[in-house]
Amino acid sequence: MSIAKHLQQLLSRGTIDGNQRQLVKVLADRGVITTQSSVSRALKKINAIKSVDDRGKSIYALQTSPQVQHVPSRTLGFFESLIHGVEHNNHLIVVHTKPGTAMTVAKFIDEKKFDEVMGTVAGDDTVMIAPKNVNLTPILADQVKVYLNSIGLIE
């Protein structure tokens, strides 16, 4: 059975949380060894859509699924894998982005209005986040990662 057929079978049962790397793992658990790029091609072949559920989590679904909100593919093409990484040193959080996109990412972070963010500074490909309380920096870094993933900026 092809990867596309396996994915179609999984998605016909409902939506699948996560990203393409997680789909590779789900397929591996079912004995289907594949790569992220093969999963990407198979998702396009079966017309699967990347959407956001009511909790803001990224999901994949077949287009016939009525319970999901479709995210336009034009937007996903621009934002997919916009973030290269998020790290911290227990004092500051740094978000590494594609060149020329740091101000966009900083705007998303600012608009989220995290309670523990004192401010953001954006360059060309780096966003620095200054936490209000450095004792909570690791927790804030995790919250930022989860948020950026939930809106589709990290694939």
Side-chain angles (χ1 to χ4, degrees), residues 3 6-7 10 23-32 34 39:
I3 296 165
H6 280 284
L7 286 171
L10 286 169
L23 288 175
V24 169
K25 290 177 187 172
V26 168
L27 289 170
D29 290 343
R30 296 174 175 273
V32 179
T34 188
V39 167

Side-chain angles (χ1 to χ4, degrees), residues 17-96:
D17 291 344
N19 57 38
Q20 292 176 5
R21 285 184 301 249
Q22 289 169 316
L23 288 175
V24 169
K25 290 177 187 172
V26 168
L27 289 170
D29 290 343
R30 296 174 175 273
V32 179
I33 306 304
T34 188
T35 63
Q36 180 271 325
S37 59
S38 294
V39 167
S40 178
R41 285 189 297 274
L43 288 168
K44 287 177 186 168
K45 184 176 181 178
I46 65 171
N47 294 320
I49 56 172
K50 186 171 187 175
S51 301
V52 179
D53 68 9
D54 56 352
R55 298 173 312 220
K57 290 190 71 166
S58 294
I59 59 171
Y60 282 97
L62 295 175
Q63 283 192 338
T64 57
S65 240
Q67 73 270 22
V68 296
Q69 172 189 351
H70 176 64
V71 176
S73 59
R74 183 176 57 85
T75 303
L76 286 174
F78 176 74
F79 288 119
E80 190 170 13
S81 300
L82 192 66
I83 310 290
H84 294 302
V86 178
E87 58 187 353
H88 69 88
N89 67 357
N90 290 323
H91 296 285
L92 295 172
I93 301 165
V94 175
V95 180
H96 300 283

Side-chain angles (χ1 to χ4, degrees), residues 134-147:
V134 294
N135 295 323
L136 300 176
T137 300
I139 295 168
L140 179 59
D142 288 341
Q143 290 173 345
V144 168
K145 281 183 199 176
V146 167
Y147 170 66

